[in-house]
């Protein structure tokens, strides 16, 4: 059975993985996951991308929201907002005022953060807790945070603020123009145990259709990871998160433009050519395949919109074929 | 209107205060509350005595349990226990392994801890957050933690361990013999703003029928507080938490015995004589009134079991009469 390692952000990666585990033996799959979105909110350690992948693969993600647990209740957060409201505390009093309750945490989801925080305070690494949480949900693949050290994506806005990823994405609903992105702590971070080995030892490496700026780049920014992917370039397949010039989810298209890039598959090709030998683009971008290939990366045209697990499995099979070729 | 300051632990104090605010103008009442039971669990700042008083006065306490909120749900904690169970983590793996979920936090109650923790991390003092939470519940009295600095009750057990109060009280269900109690951080703690003034300026000081060892003593251990109560001795009334030789709630009787004292109103009289000029004991202890008075403290015999708010109000009125005499 081929071994596959997937470089992951959140929702897009989760959907891809849900297909991949149907297409190959889950025991041979390693997901290397972005932790740049991780935050401490209300004193709790939150790992949004890890949780989105875990909940999706467990079949427990809320299908409407695309994040958090299905059939969730919101008692805790309603109470937080009652306190904030009684005291006139708003999300914008200070940068990052989580006491206002702008980051919605469902009651059952809170259990994940309470458990993770307890285990971390007791000395467990993020890798260890991630594995424990995955076991409880019956996951068969291996889920690795890219690093056990703090790696935090920071977005500098055109109005002179610097936001954490959650402040940008959730509190501001990615509605403020960004002029630069940096990954705090990346220089000093070490890859989590098994990350480099999983890339080196994979028959196929897949770069998931996640946001290249704020999901994939913070993974690659951990010293040693980008070099490992470059070493695996001939076996690496990237899936474009841009389809017909737009991001299917989230602000990837706008972020690319704000940072001076085009929001197109050719722009993604330019971004990933040093890392991957193949770029998978959606049928709607078929006419750009020649432009993509002119940049020195093979272009595969196939449906990439993962509306169902079966569609995701088809996409995963195609990536496997291309990566092993 | 007379001003009253009450030295408070949790449940017993909460019940007394619920009566007191019916007997006097709540705006003239200050509760100075024990923080020795405070803990960080799951990364959250928990203040059990402050919350018990707040919820009780708001009419929102669960009447069956005597702690936490009524009509509570338990989604978060059930999820924590699922993780712990899937990974074989028990409360006794390490001293204080809260990842096992031994400290039950209801979903709505979690909102209180999430809010408090956020505000504390943003720089608010415990006094400030306590006031914010009290406002949200519509409380009219003034609720003061005895200190904004960390003050933590530690119990040394006869089997050589040292437990936090919550480990002793909740995890071990106060079932392990104790050989000593100390109040960590007390020496360096300062009284919270207003505490000393509230004692000095009170027409009556009441020592609530709380556990003298683990509720009242940690309040008095904050430098300046014991001296202020001693200064107010002629206006100070203590209510015995021991009724007919037993504690109505909690382990006060056993703790007293384990520490070499008798569990009786005379023992309480000995404990409080330096601090209070009057001890209120229940009718069942009437025959011990002369023994109490022989220790140099006036003894008032009256019903002290606060089965209803009206009974608590009667007890409060009697304390006011005695304190003002």
């Amino acid at each position: 059975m081929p071994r596959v390692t997937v470089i992951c952000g959140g929702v897009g990666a989760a959907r891809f993985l849900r297909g991949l585990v149907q297409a190959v033996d889950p025991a041979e799959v390693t997901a290397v996951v972005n932790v740049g979105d991780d935050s401490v909110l209300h004193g709790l350690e939150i790992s949004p991308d890890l949780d989105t992948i875990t909940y999706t693969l467990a079949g427990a993600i809320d299908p409407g929201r695309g994040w958090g647990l299905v059939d969730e209740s919101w008692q805790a957060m309603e109470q937080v907002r009652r306190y904030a409201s009684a005291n006139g505390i708003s999300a914008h009093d200070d940068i990052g005022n989580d006491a206002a309750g702008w980051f919605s945490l469902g009651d059952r989801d809170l259990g994940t953060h309470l458990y993770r925080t307890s285990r971390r305070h007791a000395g467990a690494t993020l890798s260890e807790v991630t594995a424990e949480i995955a076991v409880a949900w019956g996951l068969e693949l291996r889920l690795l945070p890219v690093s056990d050290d703090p790696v935090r994506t920071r977005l500098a806005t055109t109005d002179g603020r610097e936001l954490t990823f959650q402040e940008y994405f959730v509190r501001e609903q990615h509605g403020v123009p960004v002029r630069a992105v940096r990954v705090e702590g990346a220089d000093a971070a070490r890859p989590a145990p098994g990350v480099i080995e999983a890339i080196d030892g994979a028959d196929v490496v897949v770069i998931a259709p996640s946001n290249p700026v704020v999901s994939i780049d913070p993974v690659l920014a951990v010293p040693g990871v980008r070099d490992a992917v470059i070493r695996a370039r001939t076996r690496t397949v990237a899936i474009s998160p841009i389809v017909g010039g737009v991001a299917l989810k989230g602000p990837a298209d706008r972020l690319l433009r704000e940072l001076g890039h085009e929001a197109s598959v050719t722009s993604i090709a330019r971004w990933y050519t040093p890392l991957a030998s193949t770029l998978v683009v959606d049928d709607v971008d078929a006419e750009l395949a020649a432009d993509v290939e002119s940049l020195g990366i093979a272009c595969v045209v196939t449906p990439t919109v993962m509306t169902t697990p079966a569609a995701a499995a088809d996409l995963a099979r195609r990536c496997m074929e291309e990566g092993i070729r």
Side-chain angles (χ1 to χ4, degrees), chain A:
Chain A
M1 264 298 202
R3 283 161 301 172
V4 198
T5 294
V6 185
I7 310 294
C8 295
V11 176
R15 290 192 180 151
F16 177 76
L17 288 169
R18 192 172 49 176
L20 182 63
V21 294
Q22 293 185 17
V24 304
D25 180 358
E28 302 295 331
V29 174
T30 301
V32 175
V33 183
N34 174 38
V35 293
D37 306 2
D38 289 17
S39 291
V40 175
L41 291 165
H42 306 285
L44 299 176
E45 309 225 356
I46 317 279
S47 292
D49 284 352
L50 286 165
D51 289 349
T52 293
I53 291 173
T54 300
Y55 295 166
T56 299
L57 288 170
I61 198 95
D62 184 277
R65 289 192 308 274
W67 56 268
L69 289 164
V70 71
D71 297 329
E72 187 58 283
S73 59
W74 305 90
Q75 293 294 319
M77 204 47 59
E78 279 172 26
Q79 187 59 42
V80 169
R81 290 177 186 144
R82 237 170 261 147
Y83 288 128
S85 161
N87 289 282
I89 287 173
S90 99
H92 289 87
D93 283 346
D94 305 292
I95 292 294
N97 200 334
D98 53 351
W102 54 263
F103 193 86
S104 280
L105 296 164
D107 296 327
R108 202 147 59 103
D109 183 41
L110 270 170
T112 304
H113 312 310
L114 294 173
Y115 181 81
R116 180 188 292 117
T117 305
S118 291
R119 295 288 296 132
R120 295 281 287 121
H121 286 208
T125 64
L126 182 58
S127 300
E128 289 165 349
V129 187
T130 299
E132 290 174 10
I133 291 172
V135 159
W137 287 103
L139 264 52
E140 296 176 90
L141 87 179
R142 186 163 59 139
L143 205 55
L144 296 179
V146 64
S147 180
D148 286 331
D149 301 317
V151 173
R152 298 293 174 263
T153 303
R154 304 278 185 233
L155 298 100
T157 62
T158 54
D159 60 7
R161 293 179 293 163
E162 189 172 65
L163 305 179
T164 69
F165 182 80
Q166 299 307 337
E167 287 167 350
Y168 167 72
F169 193 75
V170 178
R171 198 190 62 194
E172 309 293 341
Q173 297 184 40
H174 45 80
V176 290
V178 168
R179 60 173 182 76
V181 175
R182 70 186 179 96
V183 186
E184 192 173 281
D187 291 351
R190 293 150 303 171
V195 165
I196 300 300
E197 296 77 355
I199 299 168
D200 284 343
D203 297 300
V204 177
V205 175
V206 178
I207 299 176
S210 299
N211 188 318
V213 182
V214 290
S215 295
I216 302 299
D217 246 28
V219 175
L220 302 174
V222 174
V225 177
R226 187 183 301 272
D227 287 346
V229 176
I230 289 171
R231 279 197 301 275
R233 183 178 184 278
T234 58
R235 301 169 278 128
T236 298
V237 178
I239 304 167
S240 175
I242 298 290
V243 173
V246 296
L248 288 181
K249 190 167 187 313
D253 46 3
R254 202 170 57 247
L255 267 180
L256 282 168
R257 283 193 301 270
E258 287 168 2
L259 298 174
H261 308 278
E262 200 179 74
S264 69
V265 294
T266 41
S267 184
I268 297 296
R270 216 169 278 119
W271 198 278
Y272 284 143
T273 292
L275 301 156
S277 53
T278 303
L279 180 67
V280 178
V281 306
D282 190 73
D283 288 344
V284 303
D285 290 309
E287 64 192 17
L288 295 169
D291 289 356
V292 166
E293 298 216 321
S294 73
L295 294 164
I297 186 168
C299 189
V300 168
V301 180
T302 195
T304 66
V305 184
M306 296 175 282
T307 44
T308 63
D314 287 344
L315 176 60
R317 272 182 215 103
R318 190 65 193 272
C319 289
M320 292 303 297
E321 285 163 22
E322 296 300 329
I324 288 171
R325 179 159 301 166

